[in-house]
Amino acid sequence: MGNKMKKLICALLASAMLVGSVGVVGFADEDTNAETVVTTSAEATEKPADAEATEAPAGAEATEAPAVTEAPVATVAPTTSGSSYDNDSYYDKALSLCSALGIITGYEDGSVKPDSKVTRAEMASIVLRMLDLTSTSTYQNGFTDVTSSHWAADQIQTALEANIISGMGDGTFVPDGEVTYAQVCVMLVNAMNYQDDAEYYGGYPNGYIKVAGMSDLEITKNAPGAADVASDRGVVIKMVYNALLGQYKEINGYENGAPTYKANGTLAKAKFDVIDKKGVLTATSKTSVSSTDVQDGQIEIVSDEDDEAKLFDCDLTGLEDYLAQKITYYYKENSGLTPKVLAVTYDASKTTTFKADADDIQTVEGFDTDEGKFKIDGVSKKKNCAGASIVYNGKIISKSQLAELGESINDLLLPEKGNIRLVDSDKDDVFDVVFVDSYETMVVSSATDERIVGKVADDDNFGDTKALTIKLDDSEDRTISVTKAGNEIRLRNLKKNDVATIRRSLDDTVVDVVVTGESFTGSASGISKKVDKSYATINGTKYDVANVAVGDLVSGTQSTFYTDMFGRIAYIESAGGSVLQSGEKYGWIMNGYDAEDGSGYIIEMMTQDGKSAEYKLGSSVDYWAPTATAATTLSSKEEAKSTISALVSANSFMKLSSDANVAIRLVKYKVNSSGNITRLYCAVNAKTVSDDKALRINPTNLKSTAVVSGLVGGYKIGDGIVEMSVPKTAADMKNADNYKVGTVNSGSYVVRENGSSRDFVVGQFENTNVPTILINFTSSADALAAVKDIDTAANNPTMVVNEIETGVDDDDNTVYTINGYFNGAEVSLTTTKNAVLGKLNNKGKNNGIIADQGGSKFYSTTDIWNAQSGAKLTDYLSEGDYILYDGGDRIVLVLDADDVYKQVYEGKTVADALPFGAYNQFIARNMMVYGAVLSSDLDDEAKVEIDASALNTLQFDSSKLMDTIEINIKTGKASIDTDGSEISDLEPYDSETKTGDYAIARFCDKGALQEIVIYRFVN
């Protein structure tokens, strides 16, 4: 690297230090490439003509060569994974440019297969694209072995007319034969118009190979081969790349029948107006080491040619790793506008880099005195970073920031989670640039486009959390990236209790937020709590636990665990304690029978993990009978079999209080290393047995038991405790399909008015009235669900339907996956073989949406579809419909988009559809309000006024996004606006133009607003 260039980069870095701009990396010297050694074999008896490489898949036909486009196919070469071209930087460089120009487009699966061979027909097509010959001639039967039906027939004819190929000398072309190295040289030399030179040096093959390697062309540079050996696709790509950079001789005319030529620069320049240069990348739209204001879709490069910084348009992504490093860039001028870079390559041969995870950093010292060093686990010598520039979470730390941090800079560079990357640009064993990626984990409380609020670990009080607000208003230019489950979303679409892994610069102008959305259920054991080193074993797997979750980590508690970007447990959904002892699990006895081989008695169990399992009895079983007040020992297999087989066959378990035919077959059990049961405690009546070692269940059916002071039947039922949904009859209990195991959503059971409609019992109590397990008794797996069983007081999930996919379950039953949106977030629901769809109306009590029969309350609906009818769900449900659901069984069509159009635009009354109005005003059951939007306001609180009787202005959380359906007033077609609406987006309905917004709002729990859905009429 020249001194002038190095001084310029130093100046840029110094400027960046002063203004606090982003990103610094090391830089490498120019590529150095050894001369290619070419071996040749004896001259062939026939003079082959040409071939093609990475294009048409075998068996495919193409009527014409693909058109060249400027859009790059890939920023860098695709991963070849196990290929001999892995880590071949010259191949990467070649593929980058060839892909950008559309010369190499690869296979349908995105692969290039560089180790595979190339046919002669493929090579002909590649050379045509290299010459930008996108128009082809009609095949004229020029070769005896090529028919007009061959996929490359027209390309072969065009190449023949352009004197690129001439065939095998016997009238054949052998289009599907593998192209040899010499034949590649022939076609490329011919394409560059150097045939006369090749013939002068002896013709085929050695003359062509010699000319291909000469300085004007250098086609064989870094691409060796033997004349009569088939060439790899990777070698062909490198040779085509070399040809693009070779000096192209354009035919200028003819004298005495011989062509005359004129120099026209490189082939890339002559055919594509592409210029290649070397320089240093100094800025992208995300990161910069200069003070230049770089817009989206632009980069800045300092050219080696004149050491001047210049802006380019660029669609390539992922270039931040190349910042301040030597690159080769290929660009096109753009008719007086900003030139456009098509491809960028980088050679790190002269740069030393080192990367370490945060967990491997032992000490950080000296950065406050400009004598920084890292001590890395397993590395004997400290990494010397004296005088290094520091880029923290995407932005360079300025001198003023460094002075303000003082000694604390050393702590800052030792992240809890993340990594460091060190760059030595001149290989003097002193690293010039330090990149630090430091992540913190937050459990989100709320989010808008201007802030994110949540709880993080309290570093001063291990096990505690503290509130943190990150303000992201528009007072500063900010770069914010938010992804959830791999999809880019808006900041405001983050939800309460999302686990966010956050990387942010010191001034919060560069912020990256990642939510994996991953979770699992189980109970923790083997817990260890230490700062930054906590862990627990769940379902047999050891997990690290983030500091923010340590305070909620409890042994033996059935919970839902949510993980951060690093797979650490970061949020534990609240669950009551558990009185399971070490090694114990919950189970439900499905059946019992003798093993076919006579080896013992088998108990078939539905486990707390939701799986059906078979266990044999051990030689000694610690046993607690359903009617006993203490445990006893069954001291032999014979005694165990006799006792337990009698229990199962007679169904002598404790019974549900409301129905003596419903057995409570819940047990807690333990198995030995051989998988045999050594402990079996049946459920006993909690009213008569007080021993905490027992499995204490209250057999009282809590159906229709209303909440009093937050308690159901005197018990506090919380989210996250174990929920086993089991069938009611002994016959149905034998079928594993009839079970569902998960965690409780308390809203389904804690119901203020008249209680839940479900049959359920609770048990395994903590502090006398806090159950840790709930048994929900259900119908057979083959019975249709009942929409009437939906709890009308609970906060049931809802969705605006976007699309419906059809599939089958494991038993070949047709099921449907309904995809849609809830408050801006993508959600989905898969139906079951029992699913029922009901349409909501206002034929309930007092013309409301809730019906009342004998004290049982349910949504007033008309069933319109069920999964066993043979009808298609898509005939009843479509894009823009608004549904409420309870699992995949029970679905309520609240609003049909077609009905909304008829009601609003056509002014019709639609039978069995919900009319405009307010329903069940401020009672314990769900309330809904449906009408035109009259006005909206965002003052201290967000307010929306809806034209509905008996209702004043609504107030709601302004961070909530309103799902929005646009209805075209001319066609009636409904479509989802995936951006949704904020309060500032609302458009009061105009009755004259019949455009604007209608809204439906849903409330539960005596007036708590859950969501507003907007139907927007547009012209």
Side-chain angles (χ1 to χ4, degrees):
M1 179 179 295
N3 288 333
K4 186 177 179 182
M5 175 64 73
K6 201 156 189 175
K7 287 178 181 178
L8 177 60
I9 294 300
C10 291
L12 288 171
L13 294 179
S15 171
M17 289 287 287
L18 290 174
V19 301
S21 295
V22 180
V24 186
V25 270
F27 39 86
D29 288 339
E30 293 187 20
D31 300 339
T32 56
N33 298 298
E35 286 297 319
T36 301
V37 177
V38 181
T39 61
T40 62
S41 61
E43 188 162 328
T45 56
E46 295 179 298
K47 181 178 178 179
D50 66 273
E52 207 246 324
T54 87
E55 245 3 269
E61 293 197 7
T63 57
E64 60 182 27
V68 175
T69 64
E70 293 186 13
V73 176
T75 302
V76 294
T79 301
T80 49
S81 184
S83 164
S84 61
Y85 293 87
D86 286 349
N87 304 314
D88 185 336
S89 61
Y90 201 80
Y91 165 77
D92 292 345
K93 182 185 300 187
L95 182 59
S96 181
L97 180 60
C98 291
S99 297
L101 296 178
I103 299 169
I104 303 298
T105 59
Y107 291 89
E108 291 182 358
D109 62 1
S111 66
V112 178
K113 299 181 174 64
D115 293 297
S116 64
K117 303 303 178 185
V118 179
T119 70
R120 290 166 48 76
E122 287 175 330
M123 189 68 208
S125 296
I126 284 180
V127 175
L128 292 181
R129 288 196 295 276
M130 184 188 77
L131 294 174
D132 198 25
L133 293 175
T134 55
S135 297
T136 57
S137 302
T138 302
Y139 183 59
Q140 301 296 322
N141 297 315
F143 297 105
T144 60
D145 60 346
V146 178
T147 65
S148 59
S149 63
H150 191 280
W151 71 267
D154 291 347
Q155 288 94 320
I156 292 170
Q157 179 67 35
T158 305
L160 178 65
E161 293 173 0
N163 294 317
I164 297 167
I165 64 172
S166 60
M168 304 299 290
D170 60 355
T172 66
F173 178 65
V174 192
D176 300 318
E178 294 177 347
V179 68
T180 66
Y181 186 77
Q183 293 165 3
V184 174
C185 289
V186 169
M187 281 188 275
L188 293 177
V189 167
N190 288 346
M192 301 293 286
N193 291 322
Y194 283 75
Q195 300 96 320
D196 292 344
D197 302 75
E199 291 298 328
Y200 174 81
Y201 284 107
Y204 182 83
N206 293 334
Y208 283 87
I209 294 173
K210 180 177 180 64
V211 170
M214 295 177 70
S215 60
D216 281 353
L217 293 180
E218 293 190 306
I219 290 172
T220 58
K221 179 180 178 180
N222 285 331
D228 56 358
V229 175
S231 291
D232 286 348
R233 198 172 297 268
V235 168
V236 168
I237 291 170
K238 288 196 274 189
M239 295 174 76
V240 170
Y241 168 75
N242 292 335
L244 286 167
L245 303 185
Q247 296 301 306
Y248 176 63
K249 292 199 304 185
E250 185 173 357
I251 297 177
N252 192 39
Y254 292 87
E255 292 183 6
N256 300 321
T260 60
Y261 304 97
K262 67 176 180 179
N264 203 10
T266 67
L267 179 66
K269 172 63 176 171
K271 296 298 183 180
F272 299 98
D273 291 325
V274 170
I275 303 167
D276 66 289
K277 289 186 179 179
K278 295 185 184 295
V280 175
L281 180 66
T282 54
T284 71
S285 59
K286 293 183 178 180
T287 312
S288 174
V289 297
S290 75
S291 57
T292 305
D293 183 17
V294 178
Q295 304 300 314
D296 285 343
Q298 287 190 326
I299 61 175
E300 182 186 63
I301 299 173
V302 176
S303 171
D304 284 2
E305 189 173 79
D306 54 15
D307 287 352
E308 296 294 333
K310 187 175 182 180
L311 285 175
F312 295 85
D313 289 337
C314 184
D315 297 330
L316 304 175
T317 59
L319 295 181
E320 285 70 33
D321 287 344
Y322 296 168
L323 275 166
Q325 300 188 64
K326 180 76 72 174
I327 60 170
T328 299
Y329 58 104
Y330 306 89
Y331 70 95
K332 294 181 70 170
E333 297 293 352
N334 196 10
S335 301
L337 302 176
T338 307
K340 183 171 185 178
V341 168
L342 303 177
V344 171
T345 60
Y346 162 67
D347 182 7
S349 61
K350 296 297 179 66
T351 301
T352 300
T353 60
F354 177 84
K355 188 172 182 178
D357 289 335
D359 294 340
D360 295 324
I361 303 173
Q362 293 183 343
T363 61
V364 182
E365 60 187 47
F367 281 91
D368 54 317
T369 60
D370 225 15
E371 295 293 334
K373 290 182 175 66
F374 287 97
K375 179 67 175 72
I376 309 298
D377 186 27
V379 179
S380 58
K381 186 178 179 180
K382 293 181 179 180
K383 297 298 179 182
N384 186 354
C385 303
S389 300
I390 303 170
V391 181
Y392 182 80
N393 286 345
K395 190 163 185 177
I396 195 167
I397 297 179
S398 67
K399 290 182 178 180
S400 60
Q401 289 174 319
L402 197 59
E404 184 178 348
L405 287 167
E407 292 184 3
S408 65
I409 182 64
N410 298 307
D411 295 329
L412 190 70
L413 303 187
L414 183 56
E416 177 193 355
K417 273 294 178 183
N419 59 74
I420 61 169
R421 182 164 58 92
L422 313 178
V423 179
D424 176 5
S425 60
D426 49 12
K427 288 199 169 185
D428 62 355
D429 292 329
V430 178
F431 291 97
D432 305 296
V433 187
V434 174
F435 288 93
V436 178
D437 288 332
S438 179
Y439 297 88
E440 59 188 326
T441 297
M442 170 190 280
V443 179
V444 176
S445 299
S446 64
T448 68
D449 280 338
E450 295 189 344
R451 61 169 172 78
I452 177 173
V453 180
K455 62 180 182 179
V456 296
D458 186 343
D459 294 336
D460 297 325
N461 299 285
F462 178 61
D464 291 341
T465 61
K466 62 181 180 182
L468 174 66
T469 298
I470 303 175
K471 295 181 179 179
L472 302 170
D473 56 36
D474 57 7
S475 62
E476 299 277 356
D477 289 333
R478 304 183 192 275
T479 301
I480 301 172
S481 169
V482 186
T483 60
K484 185 173 183 179
N487 300 311
E488 290 190 12
I489 64 170
R490 299 167 84 167
L491 189 66
R492 69 188 187 190
N493 289 344
L494 293 175
K495 302 302 177 185
K496 184 177 181 181
N497 296 329
D498 275 346
V499 172
T501 306
I502 302 174
R503 169 185 175 270
R504 57 189 178 119
S505 61
L506 292 178
D507 59 1
D508 291 338
T509 57
V510 179
V511 180
D512 296 323
V513 181
V514 177
V515 177
T516 66
E518 295 178 356
S519 65
F520 57 92
T521 59
S523 59
S525 62
I527 291 174
S528 176
K529 296 183 179 182
K530 296 179 181 179
V531 177
D532 297 341
K533 295 181 179 179
S534 299
Y535 61 83
T537 299
I538 302 159
N539 301 332
T541 301
K542 182 178 177 181
Y543 292 90
D544 291 336
V545 180
N547 292 341
V548 69
V550 167
D552 295 326
L553 188 61
V554 180
S555 180
T557 299
Q558 186 76 11
S559 304
T560 301
F561 301 89
Y562 296 83
T563 56
D564 65 9
M565 189 175 81
F566 300 99
R568 302 180 303 170
I569 294 169
Y571 173 62
I572 304 172
E573 196 165 53
S574 60
S578 172
V579 291
L580 287 178
Q581 298 180 35
S582 177
E584 287 184 336
K585 288 186 176 182
Y586 292 124
W588 189 273
I589 294 181
M590 300 166 59
N591 199 6
Y593 43 82
D594 290 322
E596 292 182 358
D597 59 3
S599 59
Y601 188 73
I602 294 175
I603 295 178
E604 188 176 6
M605 191 94 70
M606 176 56 61
T607 70
Q608 70 181 48
D609 298 323
K611 299 177 181 179
S612 174
E614 294 180 345
Y615 298 104
K616 291 182 179 180
L617 298 173
S619 57
S620 177
V621 178
D622 182 17
Y623 176 64
W624 200 309
T627 57
T629 56
T632 186
T633 299
L634 306 177
S635 56
S636 68
K637 285 187 177 181
E638 290 73 19
E639 184 182 8
K641 173 185 175 181
S642 174
T643 303
I644 296 172
S645 62
L647 169 75
V648 175
S649 61
N651 202 21
S652 301
F653 300 90
M654 183 171 63
K655 301 301 193 296
L656 184 66
S657 63
S658 60
D659 189 341
N661 292 316
V662 179
I664 302 175
R665 293 188 172 200
L666 184 69
V667 297
K668 60 179 181 178
Y669 67 98
K670 190 174 182 179
V671 298
N672 58 21
S673 58
S674 300
N676 296 330
I677 290 178
T678 58
R679 179 178 297 166
L680 190 71
Y681 285 8
C682 299
V684 297
N685 194 327
K687 298 177 180 179
T688 59
V689 179
S690 59
D691 192 333
D692 287 338
K693 295 186 183 67
L695 176 54
R696 300 175 61 245
I697 302 293
N698 186 337
T700 301
N701 189 347
L702 296 176
K703 179 180 181 179
S704 302
T705 302
V707 176
V708 178
S709 300
L711 305 179
V712 180
Y715 299 113
K716 182 175 179 59
I717 300 175
D719 290 336
I721 67 174
V722 178
E723 177 187 49
M724 295 190 77
S725 295
V726 303
K728 293 180 179 179
T729 69
D732 286 338
M733 287 179 186
K734 295 178 181 180
N735 184 355
D737 291 338
N738 290 332
Y739 294 83
K740 183 179 178 181
V741 182
T743 56
V744 164
N745 176 355
S746 61
S748 299
Y749 300 97
V750 182
V751 181
R752 294 180 180 274
E753 185 183 349
N754 296 320
S756 173
S757 59
R758 300 184 180 189
D759 294 294
F760 71 100
V761 299
V762 295
Q764 281 292 77
F765 304 102
E766 181 184 61
N767 299 329
T768 70
N769 72 336
V770 180
T772 62
I773 188 168
L774 181 149
I775 308 300
N776 172 36
F777 293 94
T778 62
S779 301
S780 164
D782 294 324
L784 279 173
V787 174
K788 292 182 178 180
D789 287 343
I790 298 180
D791 187 351
T792 57
N795 179 18
N796 296 289
T798 62
M799 178 197 308
V800 171
V801 176
N802 183 31
E803 61 180 2
I804 302 174
E805 301 172 353
T806 304
V808 294
D809 62 16
D810 292 340
D811 297 321
D812 291 331
N813 298 300
T814 298
V815 295
Y816 299 88
T817 297
I818 307 171
N819 300 305
Y821 295 89
F822 171 72
N823 284 346
E826 294 183 4
V827 293
S828 64
L829 160 72
T830 300
T831 64
T832 69
K833 63 181 180 181
N834 318 104
V836 174
L837 174 67
K839 188 173 184 179
L840 187 67
N841 56 49
N842 68 326
K843 298 178 181 179
K845 186 176 181 180
N846 300 323
N847 294 321
I849 59 174
I850 306 297
D852 187 344
Q853 290 183 357
S856 178
K857 292 179 170 57
F858 49 88
Y859 287 112
S860 178
T861 60
T862 302
D863 287 355
I864 58 176
W865 173 88
N866 70 71
Q868 298 175 18
S869 66
K872 296 179 180 179
L873 177 61
T874 49
D875 291 338
Y876 299 87
L877 208 58
S878 58
E879 183 177 6
D881 294 348
Y882 172 45
I883 63 173
L884 176 150
Y885 55 95
D886 179 12
D889 295 331
R890 294 169 284 268
I891 308 170
V892 172
L893 175 56
V894 179
L895 287 182
D896 183 312
D898 291 337
D899 291 348
V900 176
Y901 176 74
K902 293 174 184 176
Q903 291 171 323
V904 176
Y905 187 75
E906 297 179 352
K908 295 180 179 179
T909 299
V910 182
D912 291 327
L914 189 67
F916 308 130
Y919 301 100
N920 308 318
Q921 293 93 325
F922 303 108
I923 63 172
R925 302 285 157 173
N926 274 196
M927 168 184 169
M928 295 185 187
V929 179
Y930 176 33
V933 173
L934 300 179
S935 66
S936 61
D937 183 32
L938 182 58
D939 208 350
D940 292 334
E941 294 180 315
K943 299 177 182 179
V944 178
E945 186 178 5
I946 298 177
D947 185 12
S949 60
L951 183 79
N952 294 319
T953 302
L954 303 177
Q955 292 186 352
F956 65 101
D957 182 352
S958 61
S959 70
K960 286 187 176 181
L961 195 66
M962 291 173 275
D963 294 311
T964 302
I965 304 97
E966 290 189 346
I967 298 180
N968 187 301
I969 62 174
K970 295 180 180 178
T971 64
K973 178 176 174 56
S975 60
I976 304 292
D977 178 355
T978 56
D979 287 337
S981 296
E982 294 182 308
I983 190 166
S984 58
D985 300 323
L986 296 185
E987 303 172 8
Y989 186 75
D990 186 330
S991 58
E992 292 186 4
T993 63
K994 293 189 176 183
T995 60
D997 295 345
Y998 264 69
I1000 182 165
R1002 182 177 70 100
F1003 304 77
C1004 72
D1005 195 18
K1006 291 192 173 182
L1009 179 64
Q1010 302 307 310
E1011 74 269 350
I1012 297 178
V1013 173
I1014 301 298
Y1015 283 89
R1016 178 164 296 146
F1017 289 80
V1018 297
N1019 191 342

